[in-house]
Amino acid sequence: MIVSSKAHTSDQMNLDEPGSAGPASVQIGMALTAVILLMTAAILVFGDSALPSHPEFVPFHAAIVLMLDGITAFLLYGQFHYRRLPLYLLLASAYLLSALITLPFTLSFPLQGQPGGGIIGGSQSAIWLWHFWHILFPLTLLLGTFQDWHGRSTAWPQERLWPATFISIVSVAALVVILTLTVTLFHDSLPVLIDSSRPAPLTPAFYWVGSLAALMTLAALILAWSRFARLSAINLWLAVTLLAFFADILASLGAYQRYTVGWYFGRIEAMLASSILLFVFLGEIVSLYRRLGRAVNQMVESNHNLVSLVTENQHAKAALAEKNLQLERISSTDHLTRLPNRRATEQELRDQYQIAERYGRDFCIIMIDIDHFKAINDTHGHNTGDKVLRQLCSVISNRVRMTDFVGRWGGEEFLVICSETELSAATELAERLRELVEHTAFDLPVSLTASFGVSEFRVGEALDDLIMRADQHLYLAKQGGRNRVSFNPEQAAQLLENWNPGQNPPAAGPANF
């Protein structure tokens, strides 16, 4: 159980901690205390009234105490291993003693047809066991409460818990055996506590020993009650338990004989005393299950919310990925022709160049320029020119291979990147595209043509040189009369060698078209 640093409630703390007795526990404890006191007062007045003799009530009473105290002892041993405080070890020992001593007490109690004693022992065995029981039980509780007073915060190391538990169980069992042997083997040497031949069967020895039990119980009760000032739940319920136990002793001292109102009341008080701490633990267990249920429900709800958040996050990621893809397409697409723009085309060129450099593969580029496009814009307007650009892009894109890349290079220029392609194949493709453009009916009063420059990748050549050669071939095609494909590598090399980049390209001579 978790202890918070400020406002504590009884179902959030350990029973031995200050403040663990919440308002509800105090109210129930006070109400039960009032009921026990009122009943005890009434019994002291009517306790000697005779009732029908039911000796079988004793086995019933003993079985209830055995069961209740046995379970309580088990739970207290568990608390000892959890809290590691000797308080719980002494309390467990007390309840184990109370449970085990009911066995010889029942066997020695005289039933019907057994005036001299029970199954074991003699006529005084049962009453002596009762007195031992009512002296040793409060004495052990007194020791536990006293130890809690002086060394509450001293927790035992883990390795001492099981040996201490074993010693406690063996010691209690041995003590019960010794007491049983004492009241049976040495029965005749014990003072007589009940003399059925006397008008008042209870002898002075009974009251002396009974008074010792009462004083021991009263001392344990006072100490537990004084410790309750810390609002400790364990001390509250120990005080109520000892009050019921004290009422049992008072009822027996005032009953005068067996099977009176006081005698029956004493047995009932003993069963009540056995049940109080057990029901406290059961209440704690129920509270624990209630908190566990709330925690599980909260966890299920949190898990549901988490799943919803994850789903929403996945949807958001998918939407974001789609948006990024759209932005990528927008950033790499020419808005007019819907072809890859200059940036995307340059990136594709670099990729193809790196592949060719690394693996020695062929690839070519085809540079395309629309003939007399400025005249189209000037004569028919820019809208018509834009329409022509879109139509030309559609014609070219539908004729190239799936592996070819078509991008807008700038203005009325376009670039086709042919991967895994030799110069001859790229030249044939350029020629087919030229013929297709020439024979396509564009929305113009005149026919439209385009010029083509082709260059192939050469090992060790820079990418810029590859582009420059394609551009130079395009220039040669323009100079040669347009509507042509230029790819002659020897003439292009000569032109490049004599070309000053700061000037316009030199006029081209005859080229191989």
Side-chain angles (χ1 to χ4, degrees):
M1 290 176 281
I2 300 174
V3 182
S4 61
S5 60
K6 294 192 178 180
H8 301 296
T9 57
S10 60
D11 63 346
Q12 293 178 321
M13 306 179 65
N14 298 294
L15 295 178
D16 57 278
E17 292 183 349
S20 56
S25 298
V26 174
Q27 292 174 3
I28 296 173
M30 294 301 100
L32 189 57
T33 298
V35 171
I36 295 173
L37 291 176
L38 290 174
M39 293 178 64
T40 303
I43 291 304
L44 291 178
V45 178
F46 304 104
D48 59 344
S49 300
L51 292 176
S53 174
H54 292 288
E56 65 274 9
F57 185 75
V58 171
F60 169 76
H61 150 262
I64 294 296
V65 173
L66 172 64
M67 179 181 63
L68 297 181
D69 282 354
I71 296 174
T72 304
F74 175 79
L75 294 175
L76 286 167
Y77 279 122
Q79 281 292 105
F80 170 60
H81 281 257
Y82 165 56
R83 295 289 289 151
R84 296 187 294 148
L85 298 177
L87 162 68
Y88 290 104
L89 180 65
L90 290 169
L91 296 184
S93 302
Y95 275 87
L96 181 61
L97 172 67
S98 179
L100 294 181
I101 206 169
T102 58
L103 296 174
F105 172 76
T106 303
L107 293 176
S108 62
F109 190 85
L111 302 177
Q112 297 283 7
Q114 297 175 327
I119 298 175
I120 62 173
S123 59
Q124 305 300 310
S125 297
I127 192 62
W128 268 107
L129 285 172
W130 184 90
H131 279 89
F132 285 138
W133 176 7
H134 286 69
I135 292 173
L136 294 175
F137 178 75
L139 175 61
T140 312
L141 294 185
L142 177 65
L143 293 175
T145 307
F146 185 79
Q147 194 282 332
D148 178 58
W149 185 14
H150 285 280
R152 180 194 164 277
S153 60
T154 305
W156 284 13
Q158 194 71 33
E159 59 272 12
R160 292 184 57 187
L161 301 183
W162 279 112
T165 302
F166 177 77
I167 293 172
S168 168
I169 294 173
V170 171
S171 300
V172 170
L175 178 60
V176 172
V177 171
I178 292 172
L179 294 177
T180 303
L181 293 176
T182 300
V183 300
T184 52
L185 298 180
F186 303 101
H187 172 269
D188 296 336
S189 301
L190 296 174
V192 176
L193 301 180
I194 298 179
D195 186 356
S196 56
S197 63
R198 297 177 52 188
L202 303 183
T203 65
F206 178 92
Y207 290 104
W208 279 107
V209 181
S211 297
L212 178 61
L215 291 174
M216 192 65 65
T217 304
L218 185 61
L221 171 61
I222 293 173
L223 184 57
W225 190 259
S226 66
R227 296 296 294 150
F228 172 60
R230 305 180 309 133
L231 292 179
S232 167
I234 194 69
N235 286 301
L236 168 65
W237 297 115
L238 282 179
V240 177
T241 298
L242 287 165
L243 180 63
F245 207 75
F246 185 69
D248 172 19
I249 297 174
L250 291 182
S252 299
L253 290 175
Y256 299 108
Q257 57 184 345
R258 291 170 176 153
Y259 309 116
T260 59
V261 172
W263 185 86
Y264 281 109
F265 174 78
R267 308 290 81 74
I268 294 172
E269 287 286 356
M271 290 186 287
L272 176 62
S274 298
S275 64
I276 291 174
L277 205 55
L278 174 60
F279 281 111
V280 170
F281 277 114
L282 293 178
E284 288 292 310
I285 293 173
V286 170
S287 176
L288 177 62
Y289 275 111
R290 185 172 63 249
R291 298 198 304 275
L292 182 61
R294 287 199 301 265
V296 169
N297 291 335
Q298 292 173 358
M299 184 173 64
V300 170
E301 183 178 355
S302 299
N303 187 58
H304 177 73
N305 294 336
L306 181 60
V307 170
S308 300
L309 289 175
V310 170
T311 303
E312 292 177 5
N313 185 47
Q314 290 174 344
H315 291 163
K317 283 184 176 180
L320 181 60
E322 179 64 24
K323 292 294 183 182
N324 289 335
L325 185 60
Q326 292 177 4
L327 290 174
E328 178 63 25
R329 284 198 294 263
I330 292 173
S331 66
S332 61
T333 303
D334 178 64
H335 73 281
L336 176 62
T337 62
R338 314 310 298 172
L339 290 178
N341 59 17
R342 177 68 175 259
R343 185 179 69 88
T345 304
E346 288 178 344
Q347 181 60 50
E348 179 67 18
L349 267 175
R350 285 192 292 270
D351 293 342
Q352 289 295 333
Y353 179 80
Q354 290 175 356
I355 293 173
E357 276 276 301
R358 177 174 297 181
Y359 302 108
R361 296 176 180 174
D362 296 322
F363 89 96
C364 295
I365 61 174
I366 304 173
M367 191 170 289
I368 306 170
D369 184 85
I370 301 174
D371 296 333
H372 303 296
F373 185 74
K374 184 178 184 300
I376 295 174
N377 282 331
D378 293 342
T379 304
H380 303 284
H382 288 278
N383 289 337
T384 302
D386 292 343
K387 187 175 182 180
V388 169
L389 286 175
R390 287 192 292 268
Q391 289 178 327
L392 178 67
C393 293
S394 176
V395 168
I396 294 175
S397 298
N398 291 331
R399 179 54 60 95
V400 299
R401 302 172 302 175
M402 293 291 294
T403 56
D404 294 334
F405 179 94
V406 181
R408 187 176 184 184
W409 192 247
E412 65 274 19
E413 289 188 353
F414 302 90
L415 195 70
V416 180
I417 303 173
C418 306
S419 60
E420 303 286 346
T421 304
E422 295 180 350
L423 179 62
S424 59
T427 304
E428 291 177 4
L429 173 60
E431 182 60 32
R432 287 195 300 271
L433 293 176
R434 185 198 64 76
E435 293 178 355
L436 181 63
V437 172
E438 182 181 10
H439 295 95
T440 298
F442 293 91
D443 295 334
L444 289 172
V446 295
S447 62
L448 183 72
T449 61
S451 300
F452 296 77
V454 184
S455 65
E456 83 284 6
F457 165 75
R458 296 174 180 176
V459 177
E461 181 184 47
L463 179 59
D464 289 341
D465 294 337
L466 173 67
I467 298 171
M468 186 178 296
R469 286 193 293 108
D471 187 65
Q472 185 62 38
H473 281 302
L474 178 61
Y475 175 79
L476 291 173
K478 291 281 188 180
Q479 291 295 98
R482 295 181 173 84
N483 191 24
R484 297 173 184 273
V485 176
S486 172
F487 64 93
N488 187 303
E490 289 78 10
Q491 187 174 8
Q494 182 180 358
L495 289 172
L496 287 174
E497 182 180 350
N498 299 324
W499 181 23
N500 184 354
Q503 301 174 354
N504 290 327
N512 185 10
F513 295 111

